[in-house]
Amino acid sequence: MWGWEQLYFNIKDGYLEAIVRGHKSGLLTVPDYNNLTQCEALDDIKLNLTASDYGSYLANEASPLYTSTLVDRCTQKLVDDWNAMRCQADESLARFLDFCTYGHMIDNVVLIVTGTLHERDVQELLDKCHPLGMFDSIATLAVAANMRELYRLVLVDTPLAPYFSENLTHEDLDEMNIEIMRNTLYKAYLDDFAAYCATLGGTTGEVMSDLLAFEADRRALNITLNSIGTELTRDDRKKLYSNFGLLYPHGHNELSIAEDFDQIRAAMEKVPAYAGVFNKLGYGEAQMLDKLLYEEEVKRCAACFEQQFHYGVFYAYMKLREQEIRNIMWVSECVAQDQKSRINDGIVFLF
């Protein structure tokens, strides 16, 4: 379908593409963030957000406000937008939108299993789950003792079933195995998502290959950083990396044997797309890496909207809205804790 999208795309998907571009135009801009940084209390933040797309979601929230309340209401805006688009999507777009939410499902599964391991209340854990990643049997995750039971009792009827069935073990669920499970599932999910986008072809395949390659490479980087000093072997580490991306395969070979941050940096800087990110990072500033990666992701997602007739704008909108919610959470926490001098340290500007 390469080159022919403009002839056929609008027949089924033109309306929803217009809708998502309208949602994107409602994202907060730099002047909006400048206003938020001047706020003295959470009620002031609510007042500033009243003029944005979040206005109707915050209008009935009474004082005293909490950061969690603001974040929940802002997240509900994304969920409502997403569900409305999902209800009107045709088959191929609906499946694409579902793929975008599978990552939240994986995070919810890990959250419930980890919380159960620490004997947390199941209802409390369910309240913390992302609404886009919910499924009918999620509450029964608490009964599983190992991954095979997790699959057989709960996940066999969910979209995550194919990813679990490939990676089942009899090992009990402890802290280490849960993290390995999360990353193994994400690997299978990202490989599957990339394969589906490739079958769609055209501009969608082109745009999404770039966005998913970045996501796969960022996960490889985070896996390497988090596994330094643990009992995870080099071979085990390498098995958790996705089978595509700009780092695949030579960068993965170097990351799998990296023992410290400088070796990781050397491996990443060999890829021109990531050299610029690490050039902004002074030596000894590893804690700033997350923000730089978020900035790179935002730049790539914003660039998606420069092209038309493709599904990448839906994925990009989700990522941009989630980053905006993280920004609002950061500003709210800084205001609530009287740390206004640190507000600009954590904001990733979208436009």
Side-chain angles (χ1 to χ4, degrees):
M1 200 172 131
W2 192 282
W4 296 93
E5 293 94 336
Q6 61 268 41
L7 286 180
Y8 304 113
F9 187 87
N10 284 345
I11 297 172
K12 291 184 176 179
D13 305 314
Y15 170 70
L16 286 181
E17 187 188 3
I19 290 292
V20 79
R21 286 177 183 274
H23 290 325
K24 175 253 185 185
S25 68
L27 293 170
L28 300 179
T29 59
V30 173
D32 294 323
Y33 285 114
N34 288 339
N35 290 336
L36 289 177
T37 59
Q38 305 303 314
C39 294
E40 298 291 339
L42 294 185
D43 285 317
D44 298 337
I45 293 177
K46 173 191 167 183
L47 191 62
N48 271 280
L49 291 176
T50 302
S52 71
D53 284 359
Y54 301 116
S56 59
Y57 290 87
L58 294 170
N60 297 323
E61 295 298 330
S63 298
L65 280 176
Y66 299 97
T67 300
S68 58
T69 307
L70 289 173
V71 171
D72 287 346
R73 301 315 299 153
C74 293
T75 301
Q76 192 59 46
K77 157 70 177 165
L78 168 62
V79 173
D80 289 348
D81 289 349
W82 199 261
N83 289 338
M85 292 188 292
R86 174 65 179 80
C87 288
Q88 300 181 64
D90 78 313
E91 182 183 359
S92 58
L93 177 55
R95 190 173 177 209
F96 179 89
L97 296 178
D98 287 342
F99 262 116
C100 293
T101 64
Y102 291 169
H104 298 103
M105 278 192 193
I106 294 171
D107 290 337
N108 285 354
V109 168
V110 172
L111 175 66
I112 297 285
V113 173
T114 306
T116 304
L117 193 66
H118 292 130
E119 300 180 352
R120 301 280 291 277
D121 179 61
V122 175
Q123 188 56 50
E124 178 189 343
L125 296 171
L126 288 174
D127 291 340
K128 292 184 178 180
C129 287
H130 198 289
L132 287 177
M134 300 300 278
F135 51 89
D136 291 341
S137 55
I138 190 168
T140 56
L141 285 168
V143 303
N146 58 50
M147 272 193 257
R148 193 167 290 277
E149 281 188 20
L150 199 64
Y151 174 75
R152 182 174 58 83
L153 297 175
V154 184
L155 298 170
V156 68
D157 294 323
T158 71
L160 301 182
Y163 312 143
F164 265 91
S165 59
E166 297 167 9
N167 305 295
L168 288 176
T169 68
H170 283 290
E171 294 178 356
D172 289 341
L173 293 169
D174 58 26
E175 291 276 3
M176 185 71 154
N177 288 333
I178 290 172
E179 276 308 305
I180 291 174
M181 178 184 75
R182 182 209 297 268
N183 289 304
T184 306
L185 290 176
Y186 255 104
K187 173 188 175 179
Y189 155 61
L190 288 174
D191 287 348
D192 196 23
F193 195 3
Y196 177 66
C197 292
T199 63
L200 293 173
T203 310
T204 298
E206 179 188 5
V207 167
M208 287 305 299
S209 68
D210 177 58
L211 292 176
L212 292 177
F214 176 78
E215 182 63 27
D217 291 342
R218 177 167 62 178
R219 293 201 70 81
L221 174 61
N222 286 333
I223 288 166
T224 308
L225 285 169
N226 294 333
S227 62
I228 291 175
T230 67
E231 59 196 49
L232 201 67
T233 66
R234 294 175 178 179
D235 289 339
D236 289 339
R237 186 191 290 181
K238 195 172 179 181
K239 287 176 184 174
L240 300 176
Y241 300 153
S242 294
N243 295 320
F244 67 99
L246 299 180
L247 293 172
Y248 177 80
H250 304 297
H252 288 174
N253 293 334
E254 294 195 31
L255 285 179
S256 66
I257 61 173
E259 297 293 343
D260 57 41
F261 184 76
D262 289 337
Q263 291 179 14
I264 294 172
R265 181 182 188 135
M268 296 295 292
E269 286 181 338
K270 291 179 181 178
V271 180
Y274 303 133
V277 174
F278 278 82
N279 286 341
K280 298 176 188 175
L281 197 65
Y283 283 90
E285 293 183 350
Q287 68 275 11
M288 292 296 294
L289 183 57
D290 275 347
K291 183 181 178 182
L292 291 174
L293 290 173
Y294 281 135
E295 288 175 350
E296 179 68 17
E297 181 182 53
V298 162
K299 184 173 74 174
R300 289 167 184 250
C301 288
C304 277
F305 289 88
E306 300 298 322
Q307 299 190 64
Q308 287 184 297
F309 313 120
H310 66 92
Y311 293 165
V313 289
F314 296 94
Y315 177 88
Y317 169 67
M318 173 186 274
K319 292 294 184 181
L320 290 173
R321 184 65 80 179
E322 287 177 342
Q323 181 57 55
E324 181 173 276
I325 293 168
R326 281 193 292 270
N327 288 344
I328 291 171
M329 180 169 68
W330 174 264
V331 173
S332 301
E333 284 291 352
C334 287
V335 169
Q337 297 178 26
D338 199 20
Q339 296 285 330
K340 288 185 63 180
S341 59
R342 296 193 57 202
I343 286 181
N344 286 319
D345 294 346
I347 296 178
V348 177
F349 295 106
L350 307 187
F351 306 106

